[in-house]
């Protein structure tokens, strides 16, 4: 090694939820070697979900969404190398190349780099005033435009990020138009009943929500976005545009080094990639998931990042561990708290438990008679008790599930 080279027993690439948890879990499981976290952003690890909710709404300041205070990392002897990226990997030599040109030698490497927001492919996508909601910098820039008087917002994408942003912008007295190319919002993650409920609720709050709509291009003046042109030729005036159409996994250095995988990078039950001593966790890690009938999928959730981080850390520490965690997600919109457990993909039957008109109900998804997932809206008890049903693949008669007067724990 040269005098400018760096080295650590474990290098963690990515300072988000997964990277932070990997460092924590290594120490919790007795690891005494050196740990170095390489983070692209200048900030210490912080929570991502509040970016489109409490942080954008200014209900929480940045210090309140830090995963741990600064002193914690020093106390645990976890070194942070921030504002830096890994640009290449020599897997055989166990050496990573950093964006500043230095080499970083590692014993084990945990790749927790997540993903980058997918950009629009149409003309005008790079105009000023076009925003993602992925990092603190993204949201700070967006808030700056709101402070400067931007009030006409167009949100492109009807997934969690788009809907959460639309709810907050409405609260901030913006005129919000939300565009979804598919026939319904949340089409990839929820059933039709839940989609219809959220569409109606956003419209009741004043959002101009349009489904089945295609964007032709973004238009602007002086390099700044002024509108969104639709495929039918109409133009929606816009002071700002938020794009929430998914992420692209950040795995290019791993793929270039020979790691297997097409959608992200593939890992085994211990979160190991095909490269020696290299693990991948979180949004970018494609894995065979028992709650998706063994299909190889990526899960974009805090739960997945944290649970995979713990498995990778335990494996490095010689502790037997296999990834087998029930997926769960949440979303806050207006006064609605949506909590999801399990994966509803491929379900063949749906049971609604409670009355959506009361704004407190659950949707239970079945596949071949088994409970595979629940979407719980302001129904925390169903969410907590329904987890057991998903874990065990419980077979329960739909009419019993639909009886909101009977606690789910009595049906297990």
């Amino acid at each position: 090694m040269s005098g400018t080279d760096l080295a650590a027993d474990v290098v963690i690439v990515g300072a988000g939820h997964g990277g932070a948890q990997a460092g924590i879990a290594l120490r919790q499981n007795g690891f005494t070697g050196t740990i170095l976290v390489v983070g692209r952003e200048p900030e210490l690890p912080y929570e991502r979900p509040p970016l489109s909710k409490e942080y954008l709404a200014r209900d929480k300041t940045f210090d309140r969404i830090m995963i741990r205070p600064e002193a914690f990392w020093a106390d645990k002897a976890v070194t942070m190398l921030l504002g830096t990226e890994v640009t290449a990997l020599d897997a055989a030599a166990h050496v990573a190349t950093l964006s500043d040109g230095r080499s970083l030698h590692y014993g084990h490497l945990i790749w927790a780099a997540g993903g980058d927001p997918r950009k629009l492919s149409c003309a005008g996508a790079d105009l000023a005033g076009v925003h993602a909601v992925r990092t603190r910098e993204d949201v700070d820039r967006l808030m700056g435009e709101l402070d400067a008087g931007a009030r006409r917002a167009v949100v492109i994408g009807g997934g969690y990020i788009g809907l959460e942003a639309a709810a907050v912008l409405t609260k901030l007295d913006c005129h919000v138009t939300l565009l979804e190319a598919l026939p319904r919002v949340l089409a990839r993650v929820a059933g039709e009943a839940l989609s219809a409920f959220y569409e109606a609720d956003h419209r009741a709050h004043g959002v101009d929500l349009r489904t089945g709509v295609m964007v032709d291009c973004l238009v602007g003046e002086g390099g700044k976005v002024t509108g969104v042109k639709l495929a039918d030729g109409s133009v929606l005036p816009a002071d700002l545009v938020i794009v929430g159409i998914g992420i692209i996994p950040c795995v290019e250095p791993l793929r270039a080094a020979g790691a297997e995988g097409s959608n992200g990078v593939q890992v085994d039950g211990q979160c190991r990639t095909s490269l020696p001593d290299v693990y991948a966790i979180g949004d970018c890690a494609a894995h065979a998931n028992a709650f998706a009938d063994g299909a190889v999928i990526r899960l974009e959730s805090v739960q997945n990042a944290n649970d995979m981080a713990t498995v990778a850390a335990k494996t490095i520490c010689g502790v037997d561990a296999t990834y087998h965690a029930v997926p769960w997600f949440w979303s806050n919109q207006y006064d609605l708290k949506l909590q999801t457990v399990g994966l509803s993909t491929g379900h063949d039957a749906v049971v609604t438990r409670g009355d959506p008109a009361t704004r407190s109900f659950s949707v239970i998804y079945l596949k071949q008679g088994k409970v595979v997932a629940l979407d719980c809206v302001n129904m925390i008890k169903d969410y907590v008790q329904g987890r057991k049903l998903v874990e065990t693949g419980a077979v329960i008669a739909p009419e019993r599930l639909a009886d909101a007067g009977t606690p789910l724990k009595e049906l297990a």
Side-chain angles (χ1 to χ4, degrees), residues 152-154 175 177 219 225-228 234-241:
R152 296 176 300 178
V154 176
H175 177 274
T177 302
V219 296
V225 71
T226 58
V228 178
S234 61
V235 177
L236 301 172
D239 302 320
L240 61 87
V241 174

Side-chain angles (χ1 to χ4, degrees), residues 26 85 90 109 113 116 119 158 209 216-217 225 236 242 270 287 291 308 321 343 381 407:
L26 282 166
E85 292 184 69
D90 183 334
L109 186 141
D116 286 325
K119 293 183 177 182
L209 189 153
D216 178 72
C217 66
V225 71
L236 301 172
I242 293 178
Q270 286 67 48
H287 61 283
F291 297 94
M308 281 190 151
L343 299 172
K381 282 187 178 179

Side-chain angles (χ1 to χ4, degrees), residues 50 72 88 95 144 149 152-153 156 180 209 225 294 303 307 324 339:
F72 172 88
V95 176
R152 296 176 300 178
I156 301 174
E180 169 56 55
L209 189 153
V225 71
Q303 165 271 316
D307 286 334
H324 183 79
Q339 295 171 290

Side-chain angles (χ1 to χ4, degrees), residues 3 16 38 75 79 177 180 201 266 285 348 388 409:
V38 181
D75 181 60
T79 302
T177 302
E180 169 56 55
D201 200 65
Q266 186 142 356
D348 53 29
K388 185 71 173 178
K409 65 181 179 182

Side-chain angles (χ1 to χ4, degrees), residues 111 113-114 248-256 264-265 284-285:
W111 192 270
I248 299 173
C250 291
V251 294
E252 280 313 304
L254 292 185
R255 298 292 302 281
V265 62
C284 62

Side-chain angles (χ1 to χ4, degrees), residues 102-387:
R102 287 184 292 176
S103 294
L104 172 55
H105 299 252
Y106 62 86
H108 298 270
L109 186 141
I110 301 176
W111 192 270
D116 286 325
R118 188 179 300 277
K119 293 183 177 182
L120 294 173
S121 57
C122 62
D126 294 324
L127 288 167
V130 179
H131 303 273
V133 183
R134 185 71 177 172
T135 67
R136 179 195 185 182
E137 183 182 11
D138 290 336
V139 181
D140 283 353
R141 190 183 305 117
L142 174 59
M143 291 193 297
E145 293 190 18
L146 292 169
D147 288 345
R151 285 297 175 268
R152 296 176 300 178
V154 176
V155 178
I156 301 174
Y160 290 129
I161 292 291
L163 293 173
E164 289 165 1
V168 172
L169 290 172
T170 299
K171 177 183 175 182
L172 298 177
D173 296 324
C174 289
H175 177 274
V176 182
T177 302
L178 187 142
L179 308 175
E180 169 56 55
L182 294 175
R184 59 187 178 92
V185 302
L186 299 174
R188 295 183 177 88
V189 296
E192 293 181 11
L194 198 76
S195 297
F197 174 80
Y198 272 92
E199 288 170 9
D201 200 65
H202 277 273
R203 288 178 177 132
H205 279 88
V207 175
D208 180 2
L209 189 153
R210 309 183 190 187
T211 58
V213 175
M214 300 299 293
V215 172
D216 178 72
C217 66
L218 305 188
V219 296
E221 294 178 8
K224 174 80 167 63
V225 71
T226 58
V228 178
K229 183 180 179 182
L230 304 181
D232 64 7
S234 61
V235 177
L236 301 172
D239 302 320
L240 61 87
V241 174
I242 293 178
V243 180
I245 55 173
I247 67 166
I248 299 173
C250 291
V251 294
E252 280 313 304
L254 292 185
R255 298 292 302 281
E260 295 176 2
S262 53
N263 178 17
V265 62
Q266 186 142 356
V267 299
D268 65 10
Q270 286 67 48
C271 300
R272 293 177 292 218
T273 71
S274 59
L275 303 176
D277 299 315
V278 175
Y279 300 74
I281 62 174
D283 292 359
C284 62
H287 61 283
N289 192 288
F291 297 94
D293 290 335
V296 175
I297 61 172
R298 288 190 305 106
L299 281 180
E300 298 169 12
S301 73
V302 172
Q303 165 271 316
N304 179 59
N306 286 345
D307 286 334
M308 281 190 151
T310 299
V311 169
K314 284 184 174 181
T315 302
I316 289 171
C317 294
V319 178
D320 185 47
T322 300
Y323 183 78
H324 183 79
V326 179
W328 56 264
F329 316 84
W330 80 95
S331 177
N332 297 332
Q333 299 167 44
Y334 309 112
D335 62 334
L336 303 172
K337 184 177 184 66
L338 169 63
Q339 295 171 290
T340 298
V341 59
L343 299 172
S344 62
T345 308
H347 69 270
D348 53 29
V350 175
V351 175
T352 300
R353 179 179 165 87
D355 183 1
T358 66
R359 303 176 70 75
S360 180
F361 67 101
S362 297
V363 180
I364 303 176
Y365 300 91
L366 307 176
K367 188 174 182 179
Q368 296 177 349
K370 295 180 179 180
V371 175
V372 293
L374 292 89
D375 283 325
C376 305
V377 178
N378 292 340
M379 286 286 281
I380 295 175
K381 282 187 178 179
D382 277 6
Y383 169 72
V384 172
Q385 297 176 14
R387 176 185 295 264

